[in-house]
Amino acid sequence: GKKAVLDFVKKGNEVYVTHTYTPPEFRGRGIAAKLMEALIDYCKKNNMRIYPICSYAVSFFEKNAELKNMLSENYLKERG
């Protein structure tokens, strides 16, 4: 069946969010945000940081500035 996905790659203590997808009929319900929140919870528990690559993940962190502490130092350095 159709499902929303959040693809990521773990490297050391960083999680690279490479792709998110929600089927059109499920969009606008905050499903992708729930996936991001689950990943953030996982990263908090495992002392990992997130490196957003896909446009959705990047905009998620731009909209949720209070989560900036979850971003990887490499990402923050590269963004200036």
Side-chain angles (χ1 to χ4, degrees):
K2 292 183 175 179
K3 57 183 186 264
V5 293
L6 187 153
D7 294 326
F8 59 88
V9 178
K10 285 196 235 174
K11 291 182 190 170
N13 71 335
E14 293 183 316
V15 176
Y16 293 76
V17 181
T18 54
H19 176 71
T20 55
Y21 174 77
T22 305
E25 62 268 37
F26 299 126
R27 285 177 195 164
R29 298 189 202 172
I31 294 171
K34 284 190 177 73
L35 292 174
M36 285 293 297
E37 286 160 13
L39 179 65
I40 289 164
D41 283 345
Y42 172 84
C43 289
K44 280 181 182 167
K45 286 177 187 139
N46 292 279
N47 200 25
M48 298 179 86
R49 294 291 172 265
I50 298 169
Y51 194 118
I53 294 172
C54 74
S55 58
Y56 175 82
V58 170
S59 72
F60 178 88
F61 281 99
E62 284 170 358
K63 287 178 195 152
N64 297 281
E66 74 281 3
L67 297 171
K68 191 176 180 180
N69 66 322
M70 291 307 300
L71 289 168
S72 101
E73 284 178 25
N74 289 327
Y75 176 78
L76 294 169
K77 272 182 212 151
E78 284 163 29
R79 298 292 279 203

